[in-house]
Amino acid sequence: MRTFTTLSGPAASLPMINVDTDQIIPKQYLTAISRAGLGKGLFHDFRYDMEDRPVPDFVLNRAPWNEACILIAGQNFGCGSSREHAPWALEDFGIRCVIAPSFADIFFNNCVKNGILLIALPEDDANTLTADAGNAQTCRMAVDLDAQTVTRSNGETVAFEIEPFRKHRLLKGLDDIGITLARAAEIDAFEARQKATQPWLYGARLPDPGA
Amino acid sequence: MTGPKTLFDKIWESHVVAENDDGTTLLYIDRHLVHEVTSWTGFERMAEDGRGVRRADATVAVPDHSIPTRNRAAGVAGIGDPLGRGQVEALLANCERFGVPLIPLTDVRQGIVHIIGPEQGLTLPGATLVCGDSHTATHGAFGCLAFGIGSSEVEHVLATQTLNQKRPRNMRIAVAGDLPAGVTAKDMILAIIGVIGTAGGTGHVVEYAGPAIRALSMEGRMTVCNMTIEGGARAGLIAPDETTFAYLEGRPMVPAGAAWEQALAHWRTLASDEGATYDKEATIEARDIAPQITWGTSPEDVIPVTGRTPDPAAAPDEMRSQAIAQALDYMALAPDTPIEGVAVDRVFIGSCTNGRIEDMRAAAAVAEGRKVPAGVGAMVVPGSGLVKRQAEEEGLDRIFLEAGFEWRDPGCSMCIAMNDDKLGPGERCASTSNRNFKGRQGRGGRTHLVSPAMAAAAAVSGRFVDVRDLLA
């Protein structure tokens, strides 16, 4: 997994509540068995009209936000479907940090696994950054994960909270499957204990077709 | 921790492999359901890394999302979309390679993951169950801690049979009294989401309790738990009882004989203890619930069928006002308008929310002896081959066909619209599925979430009506 340390560049604002993962990346992008090019489908129905032409007014279709690396969103961002295509599409577009008052649970976990930093900020701070992001003169900001700050274009900083474990994982880019596999002995021991007390959870294989 | 525990506390604590230094828990996962959309990346990376599936006996795969609902006998070759076909072929090849049991497309047991898990007895009380799909919450109906995960977590479970998770908080939603006639489990959960909001359960596991929940069949309980994610919580739970045990006994992957007795004794201990406390609680009176219908583009945008669309001018704040105005505009509805009488173009009955036998029966009871008017397209998609077979044995297919509904093969179909079953721009649909997001059922499509009985009533009336008037 890619590490996340610092990030600076244009921030785009999407001031809407309850933006679901169907809006982040719609169903027609879910049938591929490759992640390549998902950035093209990011916010598809906002970005393209019914004839698939770019909607000129949409923020990600306008300079400098067409190169945004930070997104400022509304409450409950990422609700709905568990599709990990949502963080994949954000990352493929180039967005590695989303700032919002709150996030949905599954999307939140999926972002951690893909090196995307989600920052939950109190509504007032989020509103300040939304206003900054809306103006081409002030939309550039810098995120420093180690220092836990977002620096505005005027040099002022906004501090944010993050759980120590998530910060550590993002800073180090840890692959937790490798880490968990190294703990096989603990998992073996759990299974031995569970098998003794709840043996019915083991060996119940699905019958073969026609059986 | 001693003292009274909730159902959730008991299941969670009995699945702790280790408490991590960082405040998360390494949690053991007993059961894993796999489908074609969210598994390929995990299998691909496991192949690259030379890793295997830790417990194939705890895993079942089935294609359901990107498959057509016609011409099932043709199997994989019958999938017209080359991308969808490629994804199902990849699932078959991966399951073969990693030894994961798979239910093929042409098998009568094939169906939506969340329908086939309970049918096959993969879903068990007191167990942990995951799937790369947010509607995994469905399985909580059995007192099974079940939640949706992303593709990276799918890979983690395949490889290690565990997940690193932050412990969620406890929430309890009680539904008091009895549901009125013509009001169903779907109306109950829509009404609950209307009260708590689409983020009301974020960070929590919701335990549903109270007499109206106890009175539900397993099918109804699955409908309620299924849409827990639409209230923001990843998992819903209902304590197992005699209704649960009667459903489970004799299913293929459910223990039998002495093991059944042993399991039953354990399952009877799972209910929340007297005096257990919750971080958040809500109570809803069943008698106040009318048939529900969504008017907007979020599941929390819900009103009784007797209600009116909201007025953005009355919203508490500017962002909410804009959201209401945008939703009404997308749905082509005026503010403060009665929802009853709004004309529909399409009707979809099916999905993991409402694709079970009870749903087929409820819709057929309304459709029987009535006709879908010209210009309305109505389809019924059973949730599994077993549901389809049972419905046909009961003659429900003939009722639907005579009333002018299409009778399709099982799959996710127009709930996610990854196949040919989708709305055209501007088409308005009465749907028994779970999400009315913009474009969910097809770009520009307008989805109204309702119960199967309400959907059937809309189908035979050509517009939204109060199903209680047809049942009278």
Side-chain angles (χ1 to χ4, degrees):
Chain A
M1 194 177 89
R2 278 172 76 186
T3 58
F4 189 109
T5 50
T6 59
L7 179 70
S8 62
S13 84
L14 194 69
M16 302 162 88
I17 57 172
N18 298 331
V19 171
D20 55 76
T21 54
D22 275 78
Q23 307 310 310
I24 298 174
I25 183 92
K27 60 205 164 291
Q28 64 267 32
Y29 290 93
L30 307 190
T31 43
I33 46 173
S34 155
R35 302 184 201 185
L38 285 176
K40 184 185 174 298
L42 179 70
F43 296 119
H44 182 277
D45 290 4
F46 297 137
R47 255 167 95 196
Y48 307 102
D49 67 15
M50 296 304 278
E51 277 75 49
D52 258 354
R53 293 173 305 219
V55 173
D57 287 348
F58 184 66
V59 62
L60 296 185
N61 291 334
R62 291 153 57 201
W65 300 283
N66 55 349
E67 291 182 350
C69 60
I70 300 166
L71 184 72
I72 321 288
Q75 285 169 32
N76 198 29
F77 186 77
C79 61
S81 161
S82 62
R83 58 190 68 169
E84 201 159 313
H85 304 69
W88 296 339
L90 285 165
E91 191 191 19
D92 193 54
F93 181 88
I95 292 173
R96 292 201 66 212
C97 174
V98 185
I99 300 172
S102 60
F103 298 95
D105 286 343
I106 303 178
F107 175 75
F108 186 90
N109 283 354
N110 286 341
C111 284
V112 182
K113 306 274 182 184
N114 287 279
I116 294 177
L117 172 63
L118 299 185
I119 300 176
L121 280 185
E123 203 107 14
D124 286 354
D125 287 341
N127 289 342
T128 302
L129 297 184
T130 298
D132 281 1
N135 184 327
Q137 307 306 313
T138 56
C139 74
R140 292 191 165 270
M141 39 190 96
V143 177
D144 185 331
L145 176 55
D146 192 40
Q148 295 182 211
T149 56
V150 181
T151 304
R152 301 169 59 194
S153 62
N154 66 3
E156 286 180 17
T157 59
V158 176
F160 63 86
E161 298 291 322
I162 182 168
E163 312 84 329
F165 65 89
R166 187 158 62 94
K167 178 176 177 178
H168 177 71
R169 278 178 53 176
L170 286 164
L171 284 171
K172 301 284 179 195
L174 296 176
D175 163 23
D176 62 347
I177 294 176
I179 296 170
T180 305
L181 280 168
R183 302 170 70 180
E186 288 170 84
I187 303 171
D188 290 343
F190 176 90
E191 285 179 344
R193 285 198 305 275
Q194 193 190 45
K195 210 168 181 171
T197 55
Q198 298 183 51
W200 61 86
L201 291 171
Y202 291 81
R205 218 181 151 90
L206 182 78
D208 289 333
Chain B
M1 193 177 92
T2 53
K5 291 182 196 295
T6 66
L7 167 60
F8 164 71
D9 293 334
K10 293 179 187 183
I11 304 177
W12 179 273
E13 289 165 16
S14 67
H15 286 85
V16 174
V17 174
E19 301 291 0
N20 299 326
D21 296 338
D22 62 14
T24 61
T25 299
L26 186 64
L27 192 73
Y28 194 77
I29 302 301
D30 296 317
R31 295 288 185 261
H32 190 187
L33 281 160
V34 172
H35 64 85
E36 72 274 28
V37 180
T38 55
S39 62
W40 55 268
T41 176
F43 282 125
E44 197 174 276
R45 286 193 293 212
M46 290 212 306
E48 284 167 14
D49 298 340
R51 294 166 180 167
V53 173
R54 183 174 174 97
R55 277 195 61 193
D57 72 308
T59 312
V60 168
V62 68
D64 61 355
H65 277 66
S66 51
I67 60 169
T69 55
R70 290 189 233 248
N71 194 21
R72 184 54 51 81
V76 179
I79 307 176
D81 171 19
L83 284 174
R85 191 168 61 241
Q87 204 169 54
V88 173
E89 283 168 346
L91 179 70
L92 299 178
N94 284 324
C95 288
E96 177 79 30
R97 172 175 185 157
F98 288 93
V100 172
L102 173 129
I103 302 178
L105 266 183
T106 49
D107 191 307
V108 70
R109 300 170 300 174
Q110 183 273 340
I112 306 170
V113 272
H114 309 308
I115 308 261
I116 67 114
E119 279 180 350
Q120 296 304 317
L122 185 86
T123 311
L124 294 175
T128 51
L129 182 153
V130 296
C131 173
D133 188 282
S134 62
H135 290 108
T136 307
T138 310
H139 308 265
F142 293 81
C144 173
L145 179 62
F147 51 91
I149 56 178
S151 295
S152 296
E153 291 184 319
V154 166
E155 181 188 357
H156 198 283
V157 175
L158 286 170
T160 72
Q161 208 59 36
T162 64
L163 278 176
N164 286 304
Q165 295 287 297
K166 187 176 164 191
R167 184 174 180 151
R169 294 182 294 274
N170 277 291
M171 179 169 178
R172 183 177 189 266
I173 297 178
V175 188
D178 301 314
L179 279 181
V183 180
T184 67
K186 179 65 165 287
D187 303 303
M188 189 193 283
I189 186 63
L190 284 170
I192 288 170
I193 295 163
V195 170
I196 69 169
T198 190
T202 303
H204 294 75
V205 164
V206 176
E207 180 178 347
Y208 298 98
I213 295 288
R214 285 284 140 229
L216 292 175
S217 64
M218 287 317 297
E219 285 81 359
R221 294 179 189 186
M222 284 188 255
T223 299
V224 169
C225 287
N226 171 275
M227 286 190 72
T228 303
I229 185 66
E230 269 62 64
R234 289 168 75 193
L237 281 172
I238 296 174
D241 59 12
E242 297 310 316
T243 305
T244 322
F245 308 142
Y247 179 100
L248 287 169
E249 192 167 12
R251 294 189 180 266
M253 295 179 72
V254 169
W260 165 259
E261 294 301 331
Q262 191 185 5
L264 201 57
H266 173 67
W267 296 341
R268 289 188 197 283
T269 67
L270 291 171
S272 292
D273 296 331
E274 191 93 24
T277 57
Y278 297 82
D279 303 286
K280 215 170 175 181
E281 288 193 69
T283 299
I284 286 158
E285 292 292 337
R287 65 166 181 268
D288 296 341
I289 304 175
Q292 303 284 304
I293 176 167
T294 60
W295 59 266
T297 55
S298 165
E300 70 183 19
D301 298 342
V302 67
I303 48 177
V305 64
T306 51
R308 304 168 81 91
T309 58
D311 187 341
D317 59 70
E318 181 54 26
M319 211 182 256
R320 185 68 201 147
S321 173
Q322 274 180 23
I324 293 172
Q326 283 166 3
L328 286 172
D329 179 58
Y330 181 84
M331 296 299 286
L333 293 170
D336 197 27
T337 312
I339 198 76
E340 197 171 351
V342 171
V344 299
D345 305 298
R346 304 278 295 274
V347 175
F348 169 63
I349 297 172
S351 85
C352 59
T353 309
N354 283 127
R356 285 169 285 269
I357 189 66
E358 189 175 275
D359 304 313
M360 304 290 112
R361 289 178 190 144
V366 175
E368 187 160 22
R370 296 189 166 99
K371 283 277 181 207
V372 176
V376 175
M379 61 194 277
V380 184
V381 184
S384 72
L386 292 176
V387 169
K388 186 176 191 198
R389 188 171 73 185
Q390 187 176 350
E392 289 175 352
E393 283 167 5
E394 296 179 16
L396 306 183
D397 59 322
R398 287 196 307 280
I399 293 173
F400 287 124
L401 290 166
E402 281 164 19
F405 290 79
E406 291 183 67
W407 179 244
R408 298 288 191 91
D409 294 317
C412 298
S413 183
M414 205 160 71
C415 174
I416 188 162
M418 283 183 66
N419 63 3
D420 295 336
D421 307 336
K422 58 180 71 153
L423 298 180
E427 282 189 322
R428 188 180 301 282
C429 180
S431 180
T432 68
S433 55
N434 40 56
R435 289 187 174 135
N436 52 342
F437 298 153
K438 284 179 192 166
R440 170 82 177 182
Q441 296 190 294
R443 189 163 186 195
R446 298 172 179 139
T447 303
H448 295 269
L449 303 177
V450 288
S451 74
M454 280 286 288
V460 298
S461 309
R463 61 195 169 86
F464 288 111
V465 296
D466 189 334
V467 67
R468 293 172 297 187
D469 296 338
L470 299 193
L471 294 172

